[in-house]
Amino acid sequence: MRYPPEETAAKHRRILEEAARLFRERGFAGVSVGEIMKATGLTHGPFYNHFASKEALMAEALSDLSSRTQADFDRILAEQGIAAYLDLYLSRRHVDSAGAGCLMTALAADSAKEPATRGPFTAHVKGVIDRLMRALPGKRRAEADARAAAMLALAAMVGAVTLARAVDDPALGDEILAATRQRLLD
């Protein structure tokens, strides 16, 4: 049975969104195709009408999520500025919501082990570095200095959220987040 193209596209979108959420919550290996399809309200059978393999889904889900999160970054930056973005990124809410959070904090270690995801992951990192180069405060003498500052900021942001998730002391986690935010805005 053929479905209208709009319905097929909507199903594809749901699969990408649920896969991205579940991958961020449990990692690539921690989620089966069946679980992803169940989360979308679909059966396992139609999966291969949308994707050639789980690896293809992982790569497309990362690319799609990257596009959406970078668009969010651009919107927040344009409307509210870098301080507002850092408030969101370096927040307890972000720490406590891995499934709705940054793909880098949730999937860096997994992407290092999955060749199919390394390209989309790398493209995302490059896009974030470019955005941070333009967004971070302070005067920079050369593009190389701005790039280095953006890389350092990205490493600090991802590291702060990762550490805040890993410690069993919420006050320490919040302190890590606050100190990182403050240093990035200095």
Side-chain angles (χ1 to χ4, degrees), residues 5-38:
E6 306 81 32
E7 186 175 339
T8 300
K11 288 177 183 176
H12 193 85
R13 162 84 16 234
R14 278 198 334 256
I15 295 168
L16 288 174
E17 289 173 357
E18 286 301 317
R21 180 183 64 79
L22 290 169
F23 290 150
R24 285 177 289 170
E25 286 177 358
R26 301 187 344 223
F28 295 129
V31 182
S32 70
V33 168
E35 290 171 307
I36 293 166
M37 296 304 283
K38 183 178 180 182

Tab-separated table of all heavy atoms in Angstrom, residues 5-38:
chain	number	residue	atom	x	y	z
A	5	PRO	N	2.851	11.187	-0.237
A	5	PRO	CA	4.209	11.664	0.077
A	5	PRO	C	4.284	12.461	1.383
A	5	PRO	O	5.262	12.354	2.120
A	5	PRO	CB	4.579	12.537	-1.115
A	5	PRO	CG	3.675	12.117	-2.216
A	5	PRO	CD	2.440	11.581	-1.576
A	6	GLU	N	3.241	13.248	1.688
A	6	GLU	CA	3.257	14.044	2.923
A	6	GLU	C	3.260	13.141	4.151
A	6	GLU	O	3.935	13.419	5.137
A	6	GLU	CB	2.038	14.988	2.997
A	6	GLU	CG	1.847	15.889	1.804
A	6	GLU	CD	1.158	15.192	0.626
A	6	GLU	OE1	0.316	14.296	0.809
A	6	GLU	OE2	1.514	15.553	-0.510
A	7	GLU	N	2.496	12.050	4.094
A	7	GLU	CA	2.439	11.112	5.218
A	7	GLU	C	3.773	10.377	5.378
A	7	GLU	O	4.261	10.189	6.488
A	7	GLU	CB	1.296	10.115	5.017
A	7	GLU	CG	1.087	9.199	6.205
A	7	GLU	CD	-0.118	8.287	6.043
A	7	GLU	OE1	-1.021	8.601	5.232
A	7	GLU	OE2	-0.141	7.260	6.740
A	8	THR	N	4.357	9.984	4.263
A	8	THR	CA	5.660	9.321	4.297
A	8	THR	C	6.721	10.261	4.875
A	8	THR	O	7.534	9.866	5.708
A	8	THR	CB	6.068	8.857	2.884
A	8	THR	OG1	5.070	7.943	2.414
A	8	THR	CG2	7.414	8.175	2.881
A	9	ALA	N	6.699	11.517	4.455
A	9	ALA	CA	7.659	12.506	4.969
A	9	ALA	C	7.454	12.743	6.458
A	9	ALA	O	8.422	12.873	7.217
A	9	ALA	CB	7.533	13.816	4.201
A	10	ALA	N	6.208	12.776	6.905
A	10	ALA	CA	5.917	12.973	8.332
A	10	ALA	C	6.425	11.789	9.148
A	10	ALA	O	6.968	11.967	10.243
A	10	ALA	CB	4.419	13.177	8.544
A	11	LYS	N	6.258	10.590	8.636
A	11	LYS	CA	6.766	9.397	9.330
A	11	LYS	C	8.290	9.430	9.400
A	11	LYS	O	8.883	9.120	10.429
A	11	LYS	CB	6.298	8.124	8.622
A	11	LYS	CG	4.832	7.840	8.806
A	11	LYS	CD	4.419	6.602	8.021
A	11	LYS	CE	2.936	6.353	8.133
A	11	LYS	NZ	2.500	5.212	7.311
A	12	HIS	N	8.914	9.808	8.302
A	12	HIS	CA	10.375	9.904	8.256
A	12	HIS	C	10.870	10.903	9.305
A	12	HIS	O	11.819	10.632	10.042
A	12	HIS	CB	10.812	10.318	6.849
A	12	HIS	CG	12.259	10.147	6.583
A	12	HIS	ND1	12.809	8.957	6.167
A	12	HIS	CD2	13.290	11.025	6.668
A	12	HIS	CE1	14.106	9.103	6.004
A	12	HIS	NE2	14.428	10.356	6.306
A	13	ARG	N	10.198	12.047	9.379
A	13	ARG	CA	10.550	13.082	10.354
A	13	ARG	C	10.416	12.537	11.773
A	13	ARG	O	11.274	12.756	12.620
A	13	ARG	CB	9.636	14.306	10.145
A	13	ARG	CG	9.555	15.279	11.286
A	13	ARG	CD	10.607	16.351	11.436
A	13	ARG	NE	11.448	16.649	10.347
A	13	ARG	CZ	12.803	16.642	10.424
A	13	ARG	NH1	13.404	16.374	11.553
A	13	ARG	NH2	13.533	16.931	9.395
A	14	ARG	N	9.314	11.826	12.057
A	14	ARG	CA	9.110	11.259	13.398
A	14	ARG	C	10.211	10.260	13.749
A	14	ARG	O	10.701	10.246	14.877
A	14	ARG	CB	7.743	10.570	13.499
A	14	ARG	CG	6.609	11.505	13.756
A	14	ARG	CD	5.331	10.862	14.290
A	14	ARG	NE	5.072	9.484	13.988
A	14	ARG	CZ	4.199	9.032	13.084
A	14	ARG	NH1	3.498	9.883	12.367
A	14	ARG	NH2	4.012	7.747	12.909
A	15	ILE	N	10.586	9.449	12.787
A	15	ILE	CA	11.656	8.478	13.037
A	15	ILE	C	12.955	9.207	13.369
A	15	ILE	O	13.641	8.860	14.333
A	15	ILE	CB	11.848	7.537	11.823
A	15	ILE	CG1	10.601	6.668	11.601
A	15	ILE	CG2	13.078	6.644	12.028
A	15	ILE	CD1	10.591	5.929	10.260
A	16	LEU	N	13.299	10.232	12.591
A	16	LEU	CA	14.527	10.998	12.854
A	16	LEU	C	14.501	11.638	14.241
A	16	LEU	O	15.487	11.587	14.982
A	16	LEU	CB	14.729	12.079	11.795
A	16	LEU	CG	15.144	11.622	10.411
A	16	LEU	CD1	15.148	12.804	9.445
A	16	LEU	CD2	16.508	10.946	10.447
A	17	GLU	N	13.381	12.245	14.595
A	17	GLU	CA	13.285	12.935	15.886
A	17	GLU	C	13.359	11.969	17.053
A	17	GLU	O	14.054	12.232	18.043
A	17	GLU	CB	12.010	13.767	15.934
A	17	GLU	CG	12.071	14.977	15.018
A	17	GLU	CD	10.759	15.738	14.901
A	17	GLU	OE1	9.745	15.306	15.488
A	17	GLU	OE2	10.758	16.763	14.193
A	18	GLU	N	12.641	10.858	16.970
A	18	GLU	CA	12.676	9.871	18.064
A	18	GLU	C	14.042	9.208	18.153
A	18	GLU	O	14.545	8.969	19.242
A	18	GLU	CB	11.569	8.830	17.897
A	18	GLU	CG	10.199	9.357	18.226
A	18	GLU	CD	10.075	9.879	19.654
A	18	GLU	OE1	10.587	9.229	20.597
A	18	GLU	OE2	9.465	10.947	19.830
A	19	ALA	N	14.644	8.904	17.009
A	19	ALA	CA	15.982	8.312	17.020
A	19	ALA	C	16.983	9.265	17.669
A	19	ALA	O	17.780	8.845	18.517
A	19	ALA	CB	16.424	7.960	15.598
A	20	ALA	N	16.932	10.535	17.310
A	20	ALA	CA	17.851	11.514	17.892
A	20	ALA	C	17.661	11.593	19.402
A	20	ALA	O	18.641	11.636	20.161
A	20	ALA	CB	17.652	12.882	17.248
A	21	ARG	N	16.427	11.596	19.858
A	21	ARG	CA	16.160	11.646	21.300
A	21	ARG	C	16.696	10.395	22.000
A	21	ARG	O	17.421	10.486	22.991
A	21	ARG	CB	14.665	11.789	21.560
A	21	ARG	CG	14.298	11.842	23.050
A	21	ARG	CD	12.791	11.908	23.266
A	21	ARG	NE	12.088	10.727	22.803
A	21	ARG	CZ	12.012	9.561	23.469
A	21	ARG	NH1	12.615	9.433	24.642
A	21	ARG	NH2	11.333	8.544	22.977
A	22	LEU	N	16.341	9.245	21.478
A	22	LEU	CA	16.761	7.995	22.110
A	22	LEU	C	18.271	7.801	22.047
A	22	LEU	O	18.878	7.337	23.028
A	22	LEU	CB	16.033	6.808	21.469
A	22	LEU	CG	14.546	6.722	21.787
A	22	LEU	CD1	13.855	5.686	20.898
A	22	LEU	CD2	14.321	6.403	23.259
A	23	PHE	N	18.893	8.144	20.935
A	23	PHE	CA	20.350	8.036	20.847
A	23	PHE	C	21.017	8.926	21.892
A	23	PHE	O	21.986	8.529	22.529
A	23	PHE	CB	20.853	8.404	19.453
A	23	PHE	CG	20.520	7.412	18.371
A	23	PHE	CD1	20.336	7.851	17.065
A	23	PHE	CD2	20.394	6.059	18.628
A	23	PHE	CE1	20.050	6.954	16.044
A	23	PHE	CE2	20.101	5.153	17.615
A	23	PHE	CZ	19.924	5.603	16.318
A	24	ARG	N	20.511	10.145	22.071
A	24	ARG	CA	21.106	11.041	23.067
A	24	ARG	C	20.872	10.531	24.479
A	24	ARG	O	21.711	10.733	25.356
A	24	ARG	CB	20.559	12.464	22.915
A	24	ARG	CG	21.158	13.178	21.702
A	24	ARG	CD	20.575	14.548	21.517
A	24	ARG	NE	19.195	14.403	21.059
A	24	ARG	CZ	18.327	15.392	20.975
A	24	ARG	NH1	18.663	16.609	21.313
A	24	ARG	NH2	17.106	15.171	20.537
A	25	GLU	N	19.754	9.882	24.723
A	25	GLU	CA	19.481	9.352	26.056
A	25	GLU	C	20.309	8.106	26.365
A	25	GLU	O	20.803	7.961	27.485
A	25	GLU	CB	18.000	8.985	26.199
A	25	GLU	CG	17.087	10.164	26.341
A	25	GLU	CD	15.613	9.769	26.410
A	25	GLU	OE1	15.283	8.551	26.301
A	25	GLU	OE2	14.784	10.680	26.559
A	26	ARG	N	20.461	7.198	25.361
A	26	ARG	CA	21.018	5.879	25.660
A	26	ARG	C	22.198	5.461	24.795
A	26	ARG	O	22.728	4.379	24.965
A	26	ARG	CB	19.906	4.835	25.556
A	26	ARG	CG	18.794	5.159	26.525
A	26	ARG	CD	17.680	4.174	26.683
A	26	ARG	NE	17.487	3.142	25.721
A	26	ARG	CZ	16.302	2.782	25.241
A	26	ARG	NH1	15.204	3.395	25.633
A	26	ARG	NH2	16.205	1.801	24.381
A	27	GLY	N	22.620	6.313	23.877
A	27	GLY	CA	23.727	5.959	22.992
A	27	GLY	C	23.257	5.135	21.806
A	27	GLY	O	22.152	4.599	21.805
A	28	PHE	N	24.111	5.036	20.804
A	28	PHE	CA	23.746	4.304	19.593
A	28	PHE	C	23.504	2.831	19.877
A	28	PHE	O	22.537	2.247	19.398
A	28	PHE	CB	24.831	4.450	18.516
A	28	PHE	CG	25.004	5.850	18.008
A	28	PHE	CD1	26.262	6.434	17.954
A	28	PHE	CD2	23.925	6.605	17.570
A	28	PHE	CE1	26.441	7.719	17.473
A	28	PHE	CE2	24.082	7.893	17.087
A	28	PHE	CZ	25.351	8.450	17.036
A	29	ALA	N	24.393	2.218	20.641
A	29	ALA	CA	24.267	0.785	20.911
A	29	ALA	C	23.140	0.481	21.891
A	29	ALA	O	22.658	-0.652	21.946
A	29	ALA	CB	25.590	0.244	21.452
A	30	GLY	N	22.704	1.466	22.637
A	30	GLY	CA	21.688	1.254	23.657
A	30	GLY	C	20.259	1.288	23.163
A	30	GLY	O	19.320	1.166	23.946
A	31	VAL	N	20.077	1.463	21.862
A	31	VAL	CA	18.736	1.585	21.284
A	31	VAL	C	18.649	0.690	20.053
A	31	VAL	O	19.511	0.750	19.180
A	31	VAL	CB	18.437	3.041	20.864
A	31	VAL	CG1	17.028	3.173	20.315
A	31	VAL	CG2	18.653	3.997	22.009
A	32	SER	N	17.595	-0.089	19.979
A	32	SER	CA	17.378	-0.934	18.801
A	32	SER	C	16.468	-0.222	17.813
A	32	SER	O	15.731	0.699	18.169
A	32	SER	CB	16.756	-2.265	19.204
A	32	SER	OG	15.408	-2.071	19.620
A	33	VAL	N	16.503	-0.686	16.587
A	33	VAL	CA	15.599	-0.157	15.561
A	33	VAL	C	14.154	-0.369	15.999
A	33	VAL	O	13.308	0.510	15.839
A	33	VAL	CB	15.881	-0.818	14.193
A	33	VAL	CG1	14.777	-0.514	13.195
A	33	VAL	CG2	17.231	-0.358	13.660
A	34	GLY	N	13.864	-1.523	16.568
A	34	GLY	CA	12.507	-1.808	17.041
A	34	GLY	C	12.034	-0.809	18.079
A	34	GLY	O	10.877	-0.373	18.052
A	35	GLU	N	12.920	-0.422	18.998
A	35	GLU	CA	12.560	0.569	20.022
A	35	GLU	C	12.292	1.935	19.403
A	35	GLU	O	11.379	2.647	19.829
A	35	GLU	CB	13.669	0.675	21.068
A	35	GLU	CG	13.799	-0.543	21.950
A	35	GLU	CD	15.035	-0.496	22.827
A	35	GLU	OE1	16.149	-0.301	22.292
A	35	GLU	OE2	14.862	-0.654	24.047
A	36	ILE	N	13.093	2.295	18.434
A	36	ILE	CA	12.888	3.580	17.750
A	36	ILE	C	11.538	3.580	17.043
A	36	ILE	O	10.755	4.526	17.173
A	36	ILE	CB	14.034	3.873	16.757
A	36	ILE	CG1	15.339	4.096	17.521
A	36	ILE	CG2	13.697	5.071	15.872
A	36	ILE	CD1	16.584	4.063	16.660
A	37	MET	N	11.262	2.523	16.322
A	37	MET	CA	10.000	2.452	15.590
A	37	MET	C	8.814	2.437	16.544
A	37	MET	O	7.792	3.092	16.288
A	37	MET	CB	9.990	1.237	14.664
A	37	MET	CG	11.051	1.300	13.567
A	37	MET	SD	10.952	2.782	12.533
A	37	MET	CE	9.556	2.329	11.503
A	38	LYS	N	8.933	1.730	17.645
A	38	LYS	CA	7.859	1.706	18.645
A	38	LYS	C	7.618	3.112	19.200
A	38	LYS	O	6.470	3.530	19.386
A	38	LYS	CB	8.203	0.741	19.779
A	38	LYS	CG	7.106	0.608	20.799
A	38	LYS	CD	7.474	-0.404	21.869
A	38	LYS	CE	6.349	-0.504	22.882
A	38	LYS	NZ	6.681	-1.440	23.958
